[in-house]
Amino acid sequence: MKKITLKHLIWLVIGALMAVQIVYGFAWMVQNIAGFPPFGDSTEYYNLSQTLIVDEYRPILYPLLVRMADEIAGCLPGVEYQTLLYIVQALVSLLSIYYFVRTIAGALYKGQLTAGRYAGIVYFTLYLFCIPMITLFNFTVLTDSLATSMMLFMLASVTRIFKNDCVSWKDFLLIALSMLVEYLIRADRLYTCTLFLVICFAVYLVKRRSRAEIKRAAVCMLCCILLSTCLASAINKKTQQPGVYGRISTSFAFILLDRVVWPHMAANYESFPDEIKEIVSFEDAVAFDSHNNNVMYQMAPLIVEQVGEEKAEELYLEMAAIVFDTQTKLVLFEIMEDITCMLFTPVTACLARHMTISTSYSWNLYCAKTITPKLAQSWYAYYVHSFLVMFILAGLYTLYSLIRKKSFGDVAKKLGPGFALCLIITLWFSIGDGAPPNDRYALLHYIIWTFWAAGTLLYESAAWNVSFHSVSHEANLPE
């Protein structure tokens, strides 16, 4: 006789939910292995790979990888270059997720990982790997997959550094190498990830009391940050050619044009001084408000062409001041809305299917549906709704534990660095960019929140041994 407890039931139900998502994910991958989702940046990266001439917006590494895949595919009849790229990106993604999950599991179970727990780690890895947006961007010619993988390697190493009593140079080396790759494929991460590492290392030094350990850790931390940031900056400076493609350089004034003025130019047009109206017509203002891409490719070039870059900066600031003064509450509300939507990306993805929320998620889903529309639609709907159920249950359990003053939150604590990095990335995009939240830039959010929701239920339920049924045969249940 073997009793089935509430713990076993939860494991079986969540395991079944995971199995469905894994089947969905691999079915989609098999049918899309040679596809080419219609992202505009994908075409740009291929064109850059042919010349290897990049501006300040595109580091050199990803075009170089595309170039290598293209040349190898040329030697393999019938094989598309993107297929080779997808395979590499998917394998790196799978390895990074496994390393991250294994590290968190090791921290939760204090290194006592049995064969059964290793099997669970592999299973949980496949589940996270088959989150629709993770899988989609593994199968696109874009930097987002590799960038997310590098952040997972870094987060796992940060977790190991905080967990271990002794400092290991291997963890710092992995952080340095993963961040070097990160900075060479995504220019903006040089700021967000470096800030995150500085904060983490400062917290670590404050928590550790041993002088000898602090000295050694401080040296490793300094070398880690300097190696990745300085080397990446040197390579980018050597390989990038600012302005070569005529794009407007990012500045504080340009950010305000993007974040504050867009999409409120037409509504405030009459409040602008004649100097601006002589350059920008009302029709131009209406066109500007219609799409966020018009900040870079319509309005900024129009003003720069008329008055020059230095004067344009002054006009950006003047327009931003007018818009903010007349619509302060609206601008602040939009910023807070974007922060909330992006920070809780998986929840937003579900809610956006049932209510009007200003996001760019629908375009990414459209790209996932180019070859297998029904499969992608069904898979995406299944994930966001099953996630929301687990998210609500994990949230209710957390609330119950708070009220009852019970010990809880081990999974959330171990995922703390991940949540912190998600917050920094969210603030970077939400405050510095007026475009609606885009889950392409929040792939890490999908992994961290899904890990928390499912992981909390699985880990915390281990103590729920309430028996409600028994069977006469020996059920093969995890211990």
Side-chain angles (χ1 to χ4, degrees):
M1 298 285 290
K2 182 153 185 170
K3 293 181 179 180
I4 298 179
T5 65
L6 181 59
K7 169 185 70 175
H8 292 136
L9 179 63
I10 290 174
W11 287 357
L12 288 171
V13 171
I14 294 179
L17 291 174
M18 290 179 177
V20 173
Q21 183 166 303
I22 292 170
V23 171
Y24 262 128
F26 279 91
W28 186 90
M29 283 186 276
V30 169
Q31 298 180 66
N32 288 266
I33 189 65
F36 193 85
F39 291 97
D41 288 353
S42 297
T43 301
E44 180 183 349
Y45 277 117
Y46 182 78
N47 293 335
L48 292 176
S49 73
Q50 303 305 297
T51 63
L52 296 182
I53 298 174
V54 295
D55 63 7
E56 66 271 33
Y57 285 90
R58 305 294 189 201
I60 190 64
L61 183 56
Y62 198 73
L64 186 60
L65 293 175
V66 175
R67 175 74 166 268
M68 292 171 60
D70 192 34
E71 292 188 356
I72 294 173
C75 303
L76 302 173
V79 178
E80 300 290 342
Y81 83 92
Q82 67 264 29
T83 300
L84 298 179
L85 198 62
Y86 298 165
I87 292 173
V88 171
Q89 290 180 165
L91 289 175
V92 174
S93 175
L94 188 62
L95 180 61
S96 67
I97 294 172
Y98 171 79
Y99 186 61
F100 181 68
V101 172
R102 182 184 178 281
T103 300
I104 299 298
L108 287 170
Y109 294 107
K110 296 178 172 54
Q112 298 178 3
L113 298 179
T114 62
R117 285 172 178 168
Y118 269 110
I121 289 170
V122 172
Y123 192 66
F124 201 78
T125 296
L126 293 175
Y127 169 65
L128 296 179
F129 178 69
C130 290
I131 294 172
M133 285 301 130
I134 300 299
T135 308
L136 166 64
F137 285 99
N138 286 339
F139 281 60
T140 56
V141 184
L142 293 169
T143 60
D144 304 276
S145 171
L146 290 177
T148 303
S149 297
M150 294 304 107
M151 287 191 291
L152 287 175
F153 280 126
M154 179 264 285
L155 286 171
S157 297
V158 167
T159 301
R160 285 172 54 86
I161 290 170
F162 273 84
K163 181 189 72 171
N164 295 334
D165 293 329
C166 59
V167 177
S168 173
W169 62 269
K170 295 179 182 179
D171 293 323
F172 288 101
L173 179 61
L174 182 56
I175 291 175
L177 293 178
S178 60
M179 287 300 94
L180 177 60
V181 174
E182 182 83 8
Y183 303 154
L184 290 177
I185 58 177
R186 289 292 296 270
D188 59 291
R189 296 291 160 79
L190 183 62
Y191 308 103
T192 54
C193 289
T194 300
L195 174 61
F196 169 76
L197 288 175
V198 170
I199 294 173
C200 283
F201 291 161
V203 171
Y204 177 84
L205 292 177
V206 169
K207 289 182 65 175
R208 299 296 180 175
R209 302 297 183 184
S210 170
R211 291 185 177 180
E213 185 177 341
I214 286 180
K215 290 180 180 179
R216 183 182 177 189
V219 171
C220 291
M221 292 171 186
L222 185 61
C223 292
C224 173
I225 293 176
L226 290 178
L227 175 64
S228 56
T229 57
C230 293
L231 188 55
S233 297
I235 294 174
N236 286 338
K237 184 176 181 180
K238 186 71 173 179
T239 56
Q240 291 176 326
Q241 300 181 35
V244 67
Y245 294 112
R247 284 190 277 211
I248 304 298
S249 299
T250 301
S251 64
F252 178 70
F254 178 82
I255 290 173
L256 291 180
L257 176 69
D258 189 353
R259 176 68 268 183
V260 177
V261 179
W262 186 89
H264 309 296
M265 180 174 277
N268 293 273
Y269 186 78
E270 293 303 322
S271 301
F272 293 156
D274 292 337
E275 182 182 19
I276 294 176
K277 292 180 182 178
E278 290 174 1
I279 302 170
V280 181
S281 68
F282 182 75
E283 290 72 21
D284 291 331
V286 172
F288 169 76
D289 290 341
S290 65
H291 198 286
N292 184 259
N293 283 346
N294 293 332
V295 177
M296 170 70 73
Y297 299 108
Q298 180 236 9
M299 185 56 61
L302 172 65
I303 297 176
V304 170
E305 183 181 0
Q306 294 292 322
V307 299
E309 189 170 342
E310 185 175 344
K311 181 63 177 178
E313 299 270 311
E314 297 177 9
L315 297 181
Y316 301 159
L317 292 173
E318 187 172 1
M319 287 188 289
I322 292 171
V323 172
F324 189 78
D325 184 58
T326 57
Q327 295 182 297
T328 305
K329 292 182 179 179
L330 178 59
V331 172
L332 292 178
F333 174 80
E334 289 174 342
I335 293 174
M336 292 306 300
E337 181 185 31
D338 287 352
I339 291 173
T340 304
C341 288
M342 187 170 185
L343 185 59
F344 298 94
T345 288
V347 178
T348 306
C350 183
L351 297 180
R353 296 177 59 83
H354 304 287
M355 62 182 68
T356 302
I357 299 178
S358 180
T359 69
S360 299
Y361 298 1
S362 58
W363 170 248
N364 296 331
L365 179 58
Y366 168 80
C367 293
K369 297 191 297 184
T370 50
I371 295 178
T372 52
K374 291 183 179 179
L375 175 63
Q377 182 71 35
S378 175
W379 175 32
Y380 185 77
Y382 175 82
Y383 164 72
V384 295
H385 290 98
S386 61
F387 163 80
L388 188 62
V389 171
M390 289 189 289
F391 178 83
I392 292 173
L393 291 176
L396 290 174
Y397 173 77
T398 301
L399 182 61
Y400 168 79
S401 300
L402 279 170
I403 295 173
R404 296 296 298 270
K405 297 181 180 180
K406 295 176 60 177
S407 176
F408 73 100
D410 288 343
V411 175
K413 291 174 184 176
K414 298 300 183 290
L415 292 174
F419 282 120
L421 182 54
C422 286
L423 178 60
I424 291 173
I425 292 173
T426 295
L427 294 175
W428 174 269
F429 281 105
S430 300
I431 295 176
D433 192 343
N438 191 333
D439 52 356
R440 169 183 169 184
Y441 307 125
L443 300 185
L444 182 66
H445 299 55
Y446 275 112
I447 291 176
I448 298 298
W449 278 115
T450 306
F451 196 131
W452 174 79
T456 295
L457 294 176
L458 290 169
Y459 181 76
E460 299 292 348
S461 66
W464 303 349
N465 291 315
V466 179
S467 177
F468 60 92
H469 185 61
S470 62
V471 292
S472 58
H473 62 280
E474 291 293 322
N476 186 22
L477 297 173
E479 295 294 341

